[in-house]
Amino acid sequence: MPGLVVAALLSLSLLLVHFSLRAKPMPPDRPLDVDDDLPLPELAQSSTVFSLTALFGAYFGVAVALGLPALTGLACGTVLGLFLVRYWIDRTLASVNKPEEKKFETFLSRILEGDERNATVYAFMISAAQCIYAACELLILRELTKVALGLSSEQATLLAIAVGIIGYFYVLLGGYMALFRTDVVQLALVSMMAVASGVVLLVRYSSVGWASKLLPRPGFWELPLLGSSRWLYLYHFVIAAVMGLGLLLASPDTWKRVFQVGKRKLGPRRSMLTLVGVGTLPYVVLLPFAIAISLNVDGPVNQGARLSPMLYDSYVFVAVALGIIASFLSAFNGALLASVHIQLILRRKKLSERLEEAAFYWRMVTVLLSIYILFIGALVVFNNPSRFEYRNPWLLSNMLMGLYATIGGVQIATRGDISRLPGNRLQWIFALGVVGWLLYFFTSPGFSKVPKIHSVNTVPAGVGVCLATALLSKLFMLGGRKYDRRRSNGG
Amino acid sequence: MIGDVQTAVDFFQRFADKLRRLSPTQKAKSVAYYLAPGLILGVAIIFGGGLSVDFGRGAAISELKTEITGAGGVTSRRGVVLIAEPVESEYQIPLAPNGSRIWSSLDEELADYNVKRGRLALDARGLYGKTPFIGVDSPVTLVVEGNLGGEINIAGSAESVERWRLSSRQSGSVVSGVIINCFLALGIGVATGSPPVGGDKDNASQVGAEPDKD
């Protein structure tokens, strides 16, 4: 029965995408220039946070090890990130006079203005981050299906590859229209998984003192001067908020979703409530898991230990299987499409071709192959106990945090406008940020052979990299704006 | 065999020629819609033991570890369960120390028949089986005492026991469902990405504006 239900739902959604898009195909000249009629973008805004990397990776670790103060910080950082992205988009498009030109592609084009080398590096780093993020999703999907659904290693690898290809076809056939439509379905499935598993966890483990589990555990994000006072909780809140903010600032699929919500011209109160609601929803999902799942903080993480018993029920099993796949598809599709879109915009700035259909297809193929090469490479290196003694599928996502931190730092410093930077500087900023992060990471608790909860102790360093990158960018910006947009527009 | 290889080579050459004659956009579309995803899926299936993972391996192995008595006592007792499908294969499962008997789902006559014809044996090298067992067209269960090692010999090649462990059917059904959908998606991709047979006329592909203009 579970296989039949999964097969039926995936088939229906695939056929829905195929037949509905025959009626409204992607425009051949600009396949991703689609801003109209995208359904319910509000529901899709939190899909970045609902990703497996976030839900079952960094955010899960933060929720379990650091409890409510950090979780609240994550939620606030996410909400702040959504507001900031909205403000950034509105400000970038403010100087566009014609309403029909206030498009998402115009926004992307504007953020790549300035020195050509800087724009190329910026686009490449964002695109690369999305490819690595998608590969992380594959790795974590594989691992979760092993521990939560009882798949063997081979089965899990094959399932991950197959689901990734299904996701690829969704967006290849339908671009953003398919992404947004499937996001709605996927959010429903993830919510069903969260409710089903959350209820079971809380019922089974409600005898455990849940109040104590909401507080931070010792040994995580500690500062010598703060002790265990409320100032420590404030410190946790701030670190987590920057983490939540940084993820959204560096995620082009989030920018697209926020742009679409902004297009709907909701009233200010409704708009704010929407952003707050979808921004905090994923953390409500995490809370029952954080309360119910207790981990041996000194040993390897075994998330299956508490999940497995509840999956004896077929309905819960199906709900969890569908939720995991849906969560993966939402984030994977968004990352894949975002990576391609950034590359297309960069190409357009250099070539100014009218028809981009072939370019779109080639970039889809390039990104797909890149993601799978990264996935297989990470499996061989980081999840191969017989060869390299590593069995840590979360290692790549932990390393990715540094790249997100540098991108976030550049955006914070330049306020989303890299034309403020002098020419040929961005590659050095990114190089220093990434190398600095890796030098720290390889000696940190995050670089462990098995997944350990102590990996969350790399987050404050990630925030430090973000701030250091921002500071470095500011230093480079001293001395004036070399490629100010206002000057180039004659304003 | 040589004829088959030549036929395959000719096919790929004709396919490559046809691909070269396509317009740049149609070439890109073909690669994106079926060549690239087909390549990935093909590699996964060939090198990942793909189809056999869910469409039925020839056997499944499970390890026995304890003996529980009617009085509730639990003691350590090692053994191996082999469930052999009625497909052509040959198994050699090393056991240490070797058990002295096999407990099977075959009836007496069929068990005697297969043992005498060398299709089922327990010797110094461990449990030996050659399937399909004569007179049987359903899976056969074999139980034998002994410690299971890390490798078994299947059709002449040593393989890790982990690849042959009995896995949950519920879990396997999820994998099957996803793989079927993957092939459905690939089929849609072939239909959408293939160039129209009639050339420019009546192009029913997804993008209909100017399909041959690049």
Side-chain angles (χ1 to χ4, degrees), chain B residues 27 65 164:
Chain B
K27 210 179 290 186
K65 296 178 182 174
W164 295 86

Side-chain angles (χ1 to χ4, degrees), chain A residues 60-337:
Chain A
F60 176 79
V62 166
V64 171
L66 290 132
L68 199 56
L71 200 59
T72 311
L74 274 175
C76 291
T78 301
V79 172
L80 179 64
L82 292 172
F83 276 108
L84 275 179
V85 170
R86 174 76 178 267
Y87 168 74
W88 179 28
I89 293 170
D90 289 344
R91 198 198 66 195
T92 305
L93 295 177
S95 57
V96 175
N97 295 322
K98 297 179 188 174
E100 63 271 17
E101 286 178 9
K102 283 185 188 272
K103 301 191 290 183
F104 184 65
E105 290 208 329
T106 310
F107 165 74
L108 287 182
S109 186
R110 291 246 164 151
I111 66 171
L112 293 179
E113 281 182 356
D115 175 63
E116 190 179 324
R117 177 75 63 88
N118 282 348
T120 303
V121 169
Y122 189 49
F124 174 78
M125 294 306 280
I126 292 175
S127 182
Q130 295 303 299
C131 285
I132 299 171
Y133 178 67
C136 292
E137 286 290 294
L138 281 168
L139 287 165
I140 295 173
L141 172 70
R142 178 183 180 273
E143 189 64 20
L144 279 179
T145 53
K146 283 172 64 181
V147 300
L149 304 182
L151 267 57
S152 66
S153 295
E154 275 186 333
Q155 288 175 324
T157 303
L158 196 60
L159 182 135
I161 291 172
V163 175
I165 288 177
I166 291 170
Y168 165 79
F169 272 109
Y170 279 159
V171 292
L172 181 68
L173 287 168
Y176 280 116
M177 183 64 77
L179 180 68
F180 277 71
R181 286 188 181 200
T182 52
D183 268 351
V184 175
V185 174
Q186 284 151 12
L187 186 65
L189 293 173
V190 172
S191 303
M192 188 173 69
M193 173 187 75
V195 168
S197 49
V199 165
V200 171
L201 278 171
L202 282 174
V203 165
R204 281 180 187 268
Y205 302 110
S206 60
S207 58
V208 181
W210 62 269
S212 63
K213 294 198 167 210
L214 292 175
L215 296 175
R217 296 167 184 262
F220 296 94
W221 296 10
E222 288 177 330
L223 280 182
L225 296 173
L226 295 180
S228 58
S229 65
R230 60 174 179 265
W231 293 109
L232 183 68
Y233 299 161
L234 180 63
Y235 168 66
H236 290 177
F237 178 92
V238 169
I239 293 291
V242 175
M243 182 186 184
L245 170 71
L247 175 65
L248 295 191
L249 284 183
S251 299
D253 58 327
T254 299
W255 310 344
K256 173 66 174 177
R257 289 165 170 125
V258 172
F259 171 83
Q260 293 303 135
V261 173
K263 260 182 74 81
R264 284 164 68 87
K265 301 281 183 243
L266 302 171
R269 174 178 283 188
R270 192 173 160 196
S271 182
M272 191 186 310
L273 283 175
T274 303
L275 286 172
V276 171
V278 296
T280 52
L281 182 63
Y283 305 102
V284 174
V285 168
L286 271 179
L287 201 54
F289 286 87
I291 291 170
I293 296 179
S294 65
L295 298 173
N296 173 13
V297 296
D298 295 322
V301 172
N302 184 5
Q303 295 179 349
R306 293 290 187 178
L307 290 175
S308 299
M310 71 183 179
L311 298 172
Y312 299 156
D313 184 284
S314 288
Y315 294 105
V316 177
F317 182 91
V318 170
V320 170
L322 286 173
I324 289 173
I325 290 172
S327 179
F328 163 83
L329 281 174
S330 189
F332 180 84
N333 292 353
L336 196 156
L337 211 56

Side-chain angles (χ1 to χ4, degrees), chain A residues 391-431:
Chain A
R391 207 221 159 281
N392 189 352
W394 276 268
L395 199 55
L396 187 63
S397 59
N398 220 341
M399 289 169 69
L400 180 62
M401 183 167 43
L403 185 53
Y404 270 92
T406 54
I407 294 170
V410 167
Q411 287 174 318
I412 288 169
T414 62
R415 291 162 60 193
D417 180 7
I418 60 163
S419 66
R420 295 166 189 256
L421 280 168
N424 284 327
R425 295 292 190 270
L426 203 49
Q427 66 264 35
W428 300 113
I429 295 171
F430 276 121

Side-chain angles (χ1 to χ4, degrees), chain A residues 412-459:
Chain A
I412 288 169
T414 62
R415 291 162 60 193
D417 180 7
I418 60 163
S419 66
R420 295 166 189 256
L421 280 168
N424 284 327
R425 295 292 190 270
L426 203 49
Q427 66 264 35
W428 300 113
I429 295 171
F430 276 121
L432 286 170
V434 170
V435 168
W437 163 255
L438 290 176
L439 285 174
Y440 157 77
F441 183 78
F442 289 138
T443 58
S444 74
F447 193 60
S448 61
K449 293 185 177 179
V450 292
K452 288 189 178 178
I453 197 69
H454 283 280
S455 300
V456 300
N457 279 336
T458 57
V459 173

